[in-house]
């Protein structure tokens, strides 16, 4: 049985992430989506909310689990019995950092393989950071995040006082 890990901050999950998840779920027998809880990026959503939104987004898949992790990714992968780390690549600009992480993870655990998957081109410009910015400024984020995430973002930003 091949277990793969798809790690990330998922702050929040986007349709680009979901596209990669769909592809990875067809490659692995079991896919564990790992939501990083101790990110040094300042997450907008608490870990519980990020896990909940991600779980809701993958409800239709029978071979996907969503859980949170902190500490080293390679140790999390080992605990889950994974042999593969999946990461999505959008543009060449993602490659440099992804290569650095993949090589460091290989140095730490040579038996773990990182596999890069290309998200569908319609999501090549979608990132959690840009989604939050557009949502905060009242722009339309429909079709770029799952409906329940869109609703949460709207609710979050409509509560904020307008400057
Ligand atoms: O969605 P992101 O923020 O691009 O995901 C980054 C993530 C979670 C994959 C990365 O920060 C990570 O693996 N963090 C865990 C700590 C770790 O193992 N660091 C060394 C990897 S080089």
């Amino acid at each position: 049985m091949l277990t793969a890990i798809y790690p990330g901050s998922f702050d929040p999950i986007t349709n680009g992430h979901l596209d990669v998840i769909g592809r990875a779920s067809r490659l692995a027998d079991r896919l564990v989506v790992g939501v990083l809880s101790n990110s040094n990026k300042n997450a907008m959503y608490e870990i519980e909310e990020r896990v909940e939104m991600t779980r809701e987004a993958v409800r239709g898949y029978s071979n996907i689990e969503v859980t949170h992790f902190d500490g080293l990714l390679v140790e999390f992968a080992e605990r889950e019995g994974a042999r593969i780390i999946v990461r999505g690549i959008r543009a060449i600009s993602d490659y440099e950092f992804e290569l650095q992480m993949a090589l460091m993870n290989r140095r730490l655990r040579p038996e773990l393989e990182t596999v890069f998957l290309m998200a569908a081109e319609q999501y090549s410009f979608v990132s959690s950071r840009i989604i939050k910015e557009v949502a905060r400024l009242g722009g339309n984020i429909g079709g770029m995040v799952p409906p329940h995430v869109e609703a949460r973002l709207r609710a979050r930003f409509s509560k904020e006082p307008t400057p």
Side-chain angles (χ1 to χ4, degrees), residues 10-163:
F10 303 105
D11 184 41
I13 187 159
T14 68
N15 285 349
H17 291 129
L18 274 175
D19 183 85
V20 171
I21 286 174
R23 291 168 201 281
S25 80
R26 291 191 285 275
L27 295 176
D29 300 305
R30 172 174 169 254
L31 180 68
V32 180
V33 180
V35 185
L36 181 68
S37 54
N38 66 347
S39 177
N40 49 15
K41 297 179 189 173
N42 274 333
M44 185 173 95
Y45 288 104
E46 295 298 326
I47 183 62
E48 294 79 13
E49 285 180 283
R50 286 184 280 134
V51 167
E52 195 181 303
M53 283 188 277
T54 305
R55 266 198 194 127
E56 171 71 23
V58 302
R59 235 170 23 160
Y61 295 90
S62 56
N63 66 337
I64 300 185
E65 293 160 35
V66 179
T67 185
H68 65 91
F69 76 102
D70 44 28
L72 281 176
L73 172 60
V74 292
E75 287 177 1
F76 170 60
E78 198 163 87
R79 283 197 299 278
E80 291 293 339
R83 293 214 322 264
I84 290 188
I85 296 171
V86 172
R87 291 286 290 170
I89 294 260
R90 286 164 300 196
I92 200 73
S93 49
D94 284 336
Y95 180 72
E96 208 170 325
F97 177 58
E98 293 299 332
L99 178 68
Q100 194 180 19
M101 281 204 297
L103 294 179
M104 175 55 85
N105 287 331
R106 178 182 284 169
R107 174 72 177 252
L108 295 171
R109 285 290 187 288
E111 62 277 16
L112 261 176
E113 208 59 65
T114 298
V115 171
F116 294 120
L117 296 180
M118 271 59 73
E121 61 272 19
Q122 73 259 36
Y123 303 123
S124 59
F125 62 94
V126 174
S127 70
S128 300
R129 186 189 60 76
I130 212 163
I131 290 289
K132 284 180 283 192
E133 181 169 326
V134 172
R136 183 170 57 81
L137 298 172
N140 184 4
I141 51 165
M144 291 180 270
V145 289
H148 66 281
V149 173
E150 186 181 348
R152 268 206 212 215
L153 282 164
R154 273 187 209 282
R156 161 74 68 116
F157 289 118
S158 66
K159 275 191 224 128
E160 286 194 358
T162 37

